[in-house]
Amino acid sequence: MNKNKSVKVIMAVLLSASMCGCGSEAEPGPDTDSKEKETETAPETTPETAVPEESKISSEDQVYHVGDTITADDFIFTLSDAGFAGTVSKETDDSFLLKADEGMEIYDGALYLYYAVDYQFTGSFADEEYCSFFTDRYTVGNTAFMTDGLTVFRKAGGDWTVSGCGTRFQSIAASVGGDLSGVYTYEPSDEKYEAHGILITEEKNLTEDSVIIELMGYKFEISK
């Protein structure tokens, strides 16, 4: 009787131990379960990407047209008018060097390419510029042609001053007066300026429907 009782006790102890071992292996503790849930439900985070600010400076690689406004380092300007003409005005008023019925005529086989620019100096410090908005070159297709040009400028409503001139235009440049060196110091202000210019194009070179000129380093397409 005592022997059977001892066997039953031993079997009960072994059975109890076996059940405890299975329970600890099959059922994870609360900490483990919590960590697994956190891993499964944690949202993915996407690193923020900084959005670059839009450049305030116009691209010198782009080609612009009449009416476009350019924002440069120290200037903001608009090509307000441009085209081709056989005659330009020589009256030193608002029409100076622009297309006209009477005035300064070009020789046969050539045309004036004329242009007008409205601009402001936006620099914070005084800046000395040489030959503002003057050009003596035009490009047709892949070919560039050097030529004679004349450019004048003024504070809006003021007197014209020569910005730059080729040899063919020295007499009319002298009649305008002022400093013919083309050097001018712009002071920080809200003043508005105007520039008018012409250059000579040979009709034999105008083999395409448009011509490219550069003003202050920016390319402009002028249609025939």
Side-chain angles (χ1 to χ4, degrees), residues 97-205:
L97 301 184
L98 300 183
K99 184 176 181 178
D101 294 329
E102 297 181 357
M104 187 167 56
E105 298 181 355
I106 193 67
Y107 56 86
D108 289 341
L111 289 171
Y112 289 118
L113 191 164
Y114 66 90
Y115 57 90
V117 178
D118 297 323
Y119 68 102
Q120 283 183 274
F121 176 69
T122 57
S124 302
F125 304 95
D127 187 17
E128 185 178 79
E129 288 287 331
Y130 179 71
C131 293
S132 300
F133 300 100
F134 172 74
T135 184
D136 57 2
R137 184 178 70 170
Y138 64 98
T139 302
V140 180
N142 295 321
T143 306
F145 300 94
M146 297 298 296
T147 186
D148 277 317
L150 169 65
T151 304
V152 296
F153 74 102
R154 66 180 182 178
K155 291 182 180 180
D159 295 327
W160 294 106
T161 298
V162 175
S163 174
C165 73
T167 55
R168 195 181 296 269
F169 297 114
Q170 286 183 347
S171 59
I172 190 170
S175 70
V176 173
D179 183 4
L180 299 184
S181 68
V183 178
Y184 182 78
T185 300
Y186 291 95
E187 300 286 349
S189 72
D190 295 328
E191 294 277 3
K192 296 184 184 300
Y193 290 83
E194 302 168 309
H196 288 181
I198 53 173
L199 60 157
I200 297 174
T201 61
E202 301 288 342
E203 289 189 272
K204 65 182 180 181
N205 297 332

